[in-house]
Amino acid sequence: MLSRVAENIYWLTRCLERAEGMARLVSASSQLQLDLPMHVPLSWGSLIDILGGDEDPAENGYGNNEKSVMRYLISDPGNPGSILSSVRQARENARVTRDLLPAEVWEYINALYHYVKDNADGLTSRRKRQDFLHQVVQHSLQITGQIHGSVSRGPGHQFMALGRVLERADMTTRIIDVRYANLFPVDDETMGAYSSVCWMSVLKSLSAYEMYRHDVHGRISGAEVVNYLIKSAQFPRAVAYTLYRAEECLNTLPNGDACLEELDVLRDRLDTTEFTGMSPERMHGLIDDLQRGLGRVHSQITNTYFRFHLAA
């Protein structure tokens, strides 16, 4: 497979996963606003913090209010992490690799792009916004299902799966980092229902609520939520599971030893660290380590499989 093609399909699924993840996050946060007491305002700016970009949205006229933040995260073409930008980039990557994709995959991606382009602006009411975000998630799931059900398990499928799981790991760590700082102490009984509602929103932003209740049992505890989203070997968006799937993908690809070495370092750090009972500062430091590890895995994948295209 040409390195250019491998890179395109890797980023195709990363961008699709990014759009879906952002839609889930915004939807869950909007619902949280309705569930919180009037005297507990939601910090909309924390959603921008989760993106972790270098650009300061305030410099472009965005304030810490619902309308501005929603526009920045959903429809701003200048924000590479917005839903519109992510879907547009996914479509471009799909367009240049159409001959490798089932016709239905291209058709669904194209339909998602036009839906987002035509509807991302003008979401004046929360109900319209929730309907829009629901459609983005449903379209994304349809595309993922079509890829899973109709793409041969060759190198192309492995690069698509690799892009998807690394993007999931990235989003999960970002959400934990920011939400942990917002909600610390994670198990303070004085926070009462407010704490449970907020941690429930964290789970819902990763489509993890039902599986957490099934796998963990008992009340929703901040410490248990963090441990589940990082260390679960069964939940598809947990960091540990995504790294296991990344290892499976790399084991089927040629010349993956250097990538696997970086992945092993990251998995060892995950296995030997206890993520409960930490201060926000220590948790932030550990999440930063995981983020840097994910960056090193991505860089090694680029150097191993895409560098010939980049050099050209």
Side-chain angles (χ1 to χ4, degrees):
M1 173 175 288
L2 293 175
S3 59
R4 180 187 69 255
V5 174
E7 184 179 23
N8 283 332
I9 57 179
Y10 170 83
W11 278 108
L12 163 61
T13 48
R14 284 207 73 150
C15 291
L16 280 175
E17 188 64 35
R18 186 172 300 170
E20 181 186 341
M22 185 56 65
R24 291 182 189 277
L25 175 62
V26 172
S27 178
S29 299
S30 299
Q31 185 60 49
L32 176 62
Q33 177 68 71
L34 301 177
D35 294 335
L36 289 176
M38 293 293 293
H39 65 279
V40 184
L42 178 67
S43 173
W44 293 104
S46 66
L47 295 180
I48 295 178
D49 293 337
I50 289 173
L51 287 178
D54 296 329
E55 181 182 7
D56 182 2
E59 295 179 357
N60 294 328
Y62 290 98
N64 185 14
N65 61 76
E66 182 176 0
K67 183 177 179 181
S68 292
V69 171
M70 291 300 100
R71 188 168 72 253
Y72 181 74
L73 297 179
I74 293 174
S75 60
D76 185 357
N79 170 20
S82 72
I83 293 175
L84 176 61
S85 295
S86 298
V87 171
R88 177 187 291 127
Q89 188 58 50
R91 179 182 182 270
E92 178 59 21
N93 283 306
R95 185 187 65 79
V96 299
T97 55
R98 284 182 64 177
D99 57 331
L100 292 180
L101 299 173
E104 293 87 351
V105 172
W106 161 251
E107 291 169 3
Y108 292 156
I109 292 173
N110 195 43
L112 171 60
Y113 166 71
H114 285 289
Y115 174 79
V116 171
K117 181 173 68 72
D118 294 342
N119 294 279
D121 286 324
L123 300 174
T124 54
S125 72
R126 287 179 179 170
R127 181 169 183 175
K128 285 183 179 180
R129 186 171 71 222
Q130 288 295 92
D131 289 343
F132 169 83
L133 296 170
H134 175 76
Q135 287 299 316
V136 171
V137 171
Q138 292 305 303
H139 277 77
S140 299
L141 290 174
Q142 186 180 42
I143 295 165
T144 300
Q146 189 66 42
I147 290 172
H148 181 77
S150 61
V151 175
S152 299
R153 272 24 178 198
H157 186 274
Q158 301 307 325
F159 280 116
M160 286 191 278
L162 193 56
R164 183 184 306 112
V165 297
L166 290 180
E167 187 63 34
R168 286 182 177 179
D170 181 73
M171 178 61 81
T172 298
T173 53
R174 290 179 185 279
I175 289 175
I176 292 172
D177 187 21
V178 174
R179 291 309 191 208
Y180 192 92
N182 294 156
L183 299 176
F184 185 83
V186 292
D187 286 316
D188 187 346
E189 294 294 339
T190 63
M191 295 177 70
Y194 165 64
S195 177
S196 296
V197 168
C198 289
W199 285 110
M200 186 185 303
S201 175
V202 172
L203 290 168
K204 288 183 176 179
S205 67
L206 292 164
S207 195
Y209 175 68
E210 288 79 11
M211 291 301 97
Y212 172 88
R213 298 301 297 265
H214 179 271
D215 296 339
V216 178
H217 309 294
R219 71 181 184 90
I220 294 178
S221 153
E224 290 289 350
V225 169
V226 170
N227 189 66
Y228 182 74
L229 293 177
I230 293 178
K231 289 207 165 190
S232 174
Q234 297 179 324
F235 181 64
R237 287 184 170 80
V239 179
Y241 181 88
T242 60
L243 298 184
Y244 165 74
R245 283 289 296 118
E247 182 182 43
E248 284 191 328
C249 295
L250 289 169
N251 276 327
T252 67
L253 293 170
N255 306 317
D257 290 347
C259 301
L260 287 166
E261 287 177 8
E262 290 290 355
L263 194 61
D264 285 342
V265 172
L266 188 55
R267 293 186 68 188
D268 286 344
R269 182 61 189 271
L270 204 67
D271 292 341
T272 57
T273 302
E274 179 57 52
F275 288 88
T276 56
M278 291 184 179
S279 67
E281 293 77 16
R282 179 159 167 71
M283 178 63 77
H284 178 68
L286 286 169
I287 294 295
D288 267 358
D289 285 347
L290 293 179
Q291 285 275 316
R292 285 192 289 269
L294 289 169
R296 287 192 295 270
V297 172
H298 166 73
S299 295
Q300 192 59 59
I301 290 170
T302 298
N303 291 335
T304 302
Y305 300 109
F306 311 149
R307 68 177 185 272
F308 301 109
H309 162 53
L310 295 176

